Amino acid sequence: MSRTPGEPRERTLGAVPRPRSSRTSAPGRARGRTAGTGRPLLPSLVALAAVAALCLLGLVFLAARFAGTVRAFFGEAALALVLAAATLVLGYWVLRQIRPVREPDTAASLTAAAFGLTAAAGAAVVANGALGSLWAAVLGLDLAGVWGPSLTAPLNEELLKLAGIVLVAVAFPYALRVPVDGFVLGALVGLGFEVTENAVSAMNAVVEAGGVDGAAAVVRSAAVRVALTGLASHWTMSAVAGTAVGLLAASAWRPGARRAAGAAGLVLLAMAMHGLLDSPLPGGAAGTAVKIAVNFLIAAAVYLVVRHTHRRRVRASLAAQGEDLGMRRSDAEALATRRGRRSALRRIARPERPAVQERQGAMLATAEDHAAGSAS
């Protein structure tokens, strides 16, 4: 946009000029729809149908599998479900907040959490039992009892959760376009899985205690699995694996050799993290603390890399848009953060804020489209 000589670069402090019209900034595309038509792609519908069917099957299986335990210890089961629900709500909110620039798509987020909660968790019960029997036959009962979890879970559980992340990526193609999207949505799949596993473990603790002081057993199990091992459990592993899906999605599922190798390495890393956490070595409280710290630091390192890359690309696009629209570079780049957008709105007269907020959203949609294009 051209300016006449002497025209001020910005008429109102913090205001966001209306961006030029662009197909990439269309609201429909920002919500994950096909540009121009507003209709989902056929693969998205197929993936959504698959997710719905698998979630229903997983839910039915889990309900049937644990119905007897729930009837026998109804009060303890209710307490376990309440604690699980609280963990799910808190974890869902936290993980959505860590996505830079803007929160992830709500429908994609709910689908990811639901898949881990039902489909992946239900399938894992069956798969773990089958593979556990195999290890017992091959290694013997004693050795399988010690090493079985660290051999079984990385294969079954990580691949099942990974399948869910891929289905979410196909079902919501504009919600998972870059590695940081894969990290967050993968973490949500892992969160759902972890919540179901926590509830199952709590009920197992009640059974092992013979039903004596069952409420205390539920609380102890939840405290350990949420406050301690929960810091580096399924959400961290699935976040790392989800980053691999984001790498592939960014290349329109046609990665070069280097990108494919990177994605494969991240999936193997997630499996290794799971194997480490379930391994009997190193043992004791100190060993558990080391394993938790290692997994958490790996996930944090992956997150910081993809977060920095995404924000850098978004800021570069916003700066280019701002220069073209007559904004100061610092004001344009500030829109890349939630705090920056709120600060800009506070400097605007209240009646004008809805329009400015809408324009901020349009600029961000364009910037994230450009960031996704830069990642390909």
Side-chain angles (χ1 to χ4, degrees):
M1 181 182 296
S2 60
R3 298 189 301 275
T4 57
E7 180 181 353
R9 292 184 62 83
E10 191 173 7
R11 290 185 171 84
T12 306
L13 183 63
V16 180
R18 184 177 298 278
R20 295 171 298 178
S21 61
S22 168
R23 288 183 300 170
T24 60
S25 62
R29 184 178 177 93
R31 288 194 299 268
R33 303 293 182 177
T34 308
T37 67
R39 295 190 297 272
L41 295 170
L42 179 60
S44 299
L45 291 176
V46 173
L48 280 173
V51 168
L54 292 171
C55 286
L56 180 60
L57 286 173
L59 181 61
V60 170
F61 173 79
L62 289 169
R65 174 70 173 77
F66 298 103
T69 306
V70 171
R71 284 194 299 268
F73 305 101
F74 184 79
E76 292 85 349
L79 177 59
L81 288 177
V82 168
L83 294 176
T87 303
L88 180 63
V89 171
L90 177 61
Y92 180 84
W93 181 82
V94 170
L95 292 176
R96 279 171 52 82
Q97 296 303 308
I98 68 172
R99 186 188 186 277
V101 184
R102 296 191 293 184
E103 292 180 356
D105 180 79
T106 301
S109 299
L110 290 172
T111 302
F115 188 94
L117 196 69
T118 56
V125 173
V126 178
N128 287 350
L131 193 53
S133 299
L134 176 62
W135 294 133
V138 173
L139 302 176
L141 291 178
D142 292 339
L143 198 57
V146 175
W147 288 98
S150 63
L151 296 173
T152 300
L155 294 174
N156 289 342
E157 296 177 5
E158 289 311 312
L159 292 179
L160 287 168
K161 292 183 293 176
L162 179 63
I165 302 168
V166 172
L167 284 173
V168 170
V170 177
F172 303 94
Y174 293 107
L176 203 164
R177 297 187 291 171
V178 292
V180 74
D181 292 332
F183 185 97
V184 174
L185 293 175
L188 288 170
V189 172
L191 170 68
F193 190 101
E194 187 171 334
V195 166
T196 297
E197 188 175 80
N198 288 354
V200 171
S201 296
M203 294 311 299
N204 288 339
V206 173
V207 173
E208 290 171 2
V212 178
D213 203 5
V218 169
V219 172
R220 283 195 300 269
S221 176
V224 171
R225 295 187 64 86
V226 174
L228 184 60
T229 59
L231 296 175
S233 188
H234 288 284
W235 73 267
T236 60
M237 307 157 195
S238 295
V240 172
T243 304
V245 178
L247 279 174
L248 300 180
S251 63
W253 304 99
R254 294 187 295 271
R258 182 177 179 182
R259 189 181 292 259
L266 286 169
V267 172
L268 292 175
L269 177 59
M271 290 181 172
M273 291 166 65
H274 204 149
L276 173 65
L277 191 63
D278 286 349
S279 171
L281 299 175
T288 299
V290 168
K291 292 185 285 190
I292 291 170
V294 168
N295 277 7
F296 183 82
L297 290 174
I298 289 173
V302 172
Y303 169 71
L304 290 175
V305 170
V306 296
R307 174 181 180 270
H308 172 75
T309 301
H310 186 69
R311 288 188 63 179
R312 175 173 54 80
R313 289 168 176 163
V314 167
R315 283 198 299 265
S317 176
L318 289 171
Q321 291 181 69
E323 182 179 359
D324 194 36
L325 296 168
M327 294 178 66
R328 288 197 294 266
R329 184 182 182 91
S330 59
D331 288 337
E333 290 184 339
L335 298 179
T337 66
R338 297 171 177 85
R339 179 182 297 178
R341 295 194 293 274
R342 289 194 298 265
S343 177
L345 287 174
R346 283 196 294 268
R347 299 196 296 266
I348 300 297
R350 191 175 297 274
E352 300 177 13
R353 289 180 185 177
V356 173
Q357 191 170 20
E358 181 179 355
R359 295 168 192 173
Q360 287 181 346
M363 290 184 70
L364 288 173
T366 299
E368 292 211 275
D369 278 349
H370 290 168
S374 299
S376 62

